[in-house]
Amino acid sequence: MAPSRPFTYCEGAPSWNPTTYIADTALHERAEAHLASDDLQSAITVSFSLPPPHLDPYVYHAIVSVTLPEVQHVISLGGQNGLHSWYFAPAPASAPSSSSDNSQNNNNGPNQPPRATPATLALPPPPRPDTEAYLSIFDPGTSTPAAALKTFLSNAKKGSLRGEIAAYLQSKRYLHATHAPTLAAPKKRASKNKPKPKTKTTNTPSTPPNPYLTFLSWSARALEWAGPSPAATSSTSGSRAHHVLPVLMHHFGCACPTHEALLLLRAVAAGREVLDVGSGGGYWTFQLRAYGVRAVAVDSGQSAWRVNWVEDTQIADGAAWLRRRRKNSSSSSRNRRGVAAAAPDPDEGVLLLVYPIVGGSVAGDREGGFTRDMLDAYAGDTVAVVGTQNRGGYTGFRGESMDEYMQRERAADGWVKVVQVALPSFPDTRYGFTADGLYRGAFWCN
């Protein structure tokens, strides 16, 4: 048997260590300076101690297969060829097609993204103040995300794209009245004597650093994105994403945690573990641990990521791993009470599913099989699902949202939605609204 490869946190950078990286304030400042010049290639290279681009053969596989220099070239093109076209409106009957060649709609080459279909017209990019207002919702320095969202909506002009985005985000935000006192994000008190920072940042001294949010916020500014809306996820606008996405996915993950989301998970865990099943590179586990949460990373290892944020990921089939825990939990219940517990185990950890795969026609399994198997195998009473809520077929189920599935198939078992908050979305017409939704069983909500 061939010897196993030694563990490294970052492929191509054997000396890189996430703990050292997070603590290096000067390094973060260097990366932010590169991002301010729209130099993603240099920002990634210095952040992850990568070799010079001409010596780095790594190919990022996701929506496209690209190298870091290729991605930087696409960034340099700016909004040419519809690269920054994210929002669309129905085209008048007499309007010319926004694409002279409809065959280009599915061309995913590095310099030729999908274009708008003839049924739509691309809207002008949102102004920078709208992008900044959108990003303020996720900034840990904001008083509260709810207040930032309210400002985002109240300052929007009637009929504007900003108004549509804000109304869309507001309609998706939810906090169950029963749990509001314990789950509402604490307000931040502004110090009168504290000077305002001279540069934009997404971290504050009182919160653990979150470099993913820094890079994702840059992408929104550089690619002229102000958040998801029906105009960005219209079924007639075609599917499009930017070549930056594979780089961020490989270095950080499929979705970016926020200060609010991490506080919510810590609150509902209430000292229990968080079971990050399907953890990928482990960025959510890493961040949860920085917030003092006992997080466990579990992944099948079928997908390869350039960066692994934790070295103790348990390589296992998620459902089988959960069933083993359930069996052990049932045995413990018998030992304590003499009978097996029929109700969910209140001591079991919170199940966290970050972008659970769809299965079915996408992965060769039955439709929604991954998510169903996880929920069937789980012995606890609290589930957190991170992913899209626009029926786009990229989280859990192809033709319905997680909300709709839980209401139809799990509500009778006592599951209710406790909270749903927005997470920062990558510029992409396919993914749309990205949320962190928490569901709890009847044991806790009756």
Side-chain angles (χ1 to χ4, degrees):
M1 179 181 294
S4 59
R5 296 174 57 186
F7 174 84
T8 57
Y9 286 107
C10 181
E11 185 170 335
S15 64
W16 186 84
N17 179 285
T19 303
T20 304
Y21 163 61
I22 287 293
D24 195 335
T25 303
L27 181 58
H28 294 306
E29 292 176 351
R30 287 173 58 197
E32 290 184 15
H34 287 304
L35 292 176
S37 301
D38 290 338
D39 187 355
L40 176 66
Q41 177 175 286
S42 295
I44 288 290
T45 298
V46 300
S47 294
F48 294 91
S49 303
L50 300 181
H54 68 282
L55 297 177
D56 183 14
Y58 191 84
V59 178
Y60 297 88
H61 298 286
I63 55 168
V64 292
S65 296
V66 289
T67 63
L68 203 49
E70 288 175 334
V71 173
Q72 187 59 45
H73 172 67
V74 177
I75 293 170
S76 72
L77 298 177
Q80 296 180 40
N81 303 321
L83 282 166
H84 293 182
S85 295
W86 310 114
Y87 305 101
F88 298 85
S94 58
S97 167
S98 58
S99 174
S100 59
D101 181 5
N102 195 37
S103 66
Q104 295 293 321
N105 287 343
N106 295 317
N107 186 339
N108 285 330
N111 299 330
Q112 295 294 328
R115 302 177 182 178
T117 66
T120 61
L121 286 177
L123 299 174
R128 174 59 71 86
D130 289 358
T131 296
E132 296 299 337
Y134 168 67
L135 294 176
S136 72
I137 300 169
F138 314 107
D139 189 336
T142 301
S143 58
T144 66
L149 180 54
K150 184 177 180 180
T151 300
F152 188 37
L153 178 60
S154 63
N155 291 340
K157 294 181 180 179
K158 186 177 181 180
S160 66
L161 177 61
R162 171 172 173 163
E164 181 180 302
I165 295 170
Y168 184 58
L169 294 176
Q170 187 70 58
S171 70
K172 297 290 187 178
R173 188 175 179 86
Y174 176 79
L175 183 60
H176 196 286
T178 304
H179 300 277
T182 56
L183 296 183
K187 293 183 179 180
K188 288 184 173 292
R189 295 182 179 179
S191 173
K192 296 181 180 180
N193 299 322
K194 184 178 179 179
K196 294 182 178 180
K198 296 181 180 180
T199 58
K200 295 184 178 71
T201 181
T202 53
N203 301 309
T204 68
S206 60
T207 60
N210 183 358
Y212 195 175
L213 186 57
T214 299
F215 278 85
L216 197 61
S217 297
W218 162 80
S219 73
R221 297 181 182 109
L223 306 182
E224 301 180 283
W225 170 258
S229 77
T233 56
S234 169
S235 61
T236 60
S237 64
S239 296
R240 55 187 50 75
H242 199 277
H243 305 71
V244 167
L245 178 57
V247 177
L248 298 187
M249 288 179 67
H250 273 257
H251 283 272
F252 299 104
C254 297
C256 177
T258 62
H259 181 58
E260 180 184 31
L262 293 164
L263 288 179
L264 286 169
L265 283 167
R266 186 173 69 184
V268 298
R272 297 176 295 168
E273 293 177 318
V274 171
L275 314 178
D276 185 5
V277 180
S279 58
Y283 189 77
W284 278 76
T285 291
F286 183 89
Q287 285 289 302
L288 283 165
R289 290 174 178 176
Y291 276 72
V293 178
R294 294 183 299 123
V296 180
V298 181
D299 194 82
S300 67
Q302 293 180 1
S303 298
W305 308 99
R306 182 158 204 180
V307 176
N308 293 296
W309 286 84
V310 295
E311 62 177 334
D312 58 348
T313 299
Q314 299 190 36
I315 304 301
D317 174 80
W321 185 83
L322 288 170
R323 283 193 292 270
R324 286 196 296 272
R325 283 180 65 97
R326 188 182 192 113
K327 181 178 180 180
N328 293 336
S329 174
S330 298
S331 299
S332 298
S333 297
R334 291 190 186 96
N335 292 336
R336 291 195 304 265
R337 298 189 292 272
V339 294
D345 182 359
D347 297 323
E348 176 61 298
V350 174
L351 175 59
L352 172 62
L353 302 175
V354 179
Y355 266 82
I357 61 173
V358 174
S361 59
V362 175
D365 194 2
R366 73 186 193 282
E367 190 74 23
F370 178 88
T371 304
R372 286 189 173 92
D373 287 348
M374 296 301 157
L375 294 175
D376 289 341
Y378 176 55
D381 63 8
T382 309
V383 175
V385 180
V386 174
T388 58
Q389 283 288 341
N390 63 344
R391 307 188 193 97
Y394 289 91
T395 303
F397 306 94
R398 173 159 291 278
E400 63 183 337
S401 68
M402 192 70 192
D403 267 2
E404 292 165 339
Y405 167 78
M406 292 295 288
Q407 180 62 34
R408 191 189 74 249
E409 294 198 20
R410 303 285 172 168
D413 296 329
W415 289 91
V416 297
K417 181 166 69 173
V418 173
V419 61
Q420 179 171 288
V421 297
L423 297 175
S425 297
F426 186 84
D428 191 324
T429 63
R430 306 170 307 156
Y431 287 82
F433 175 74
T434 304
D436 180 15
L438 283 160
Y439 306 86
R440 302 191 94 168
F443 183 91
W444 281 81
C445 296
N446 281 350

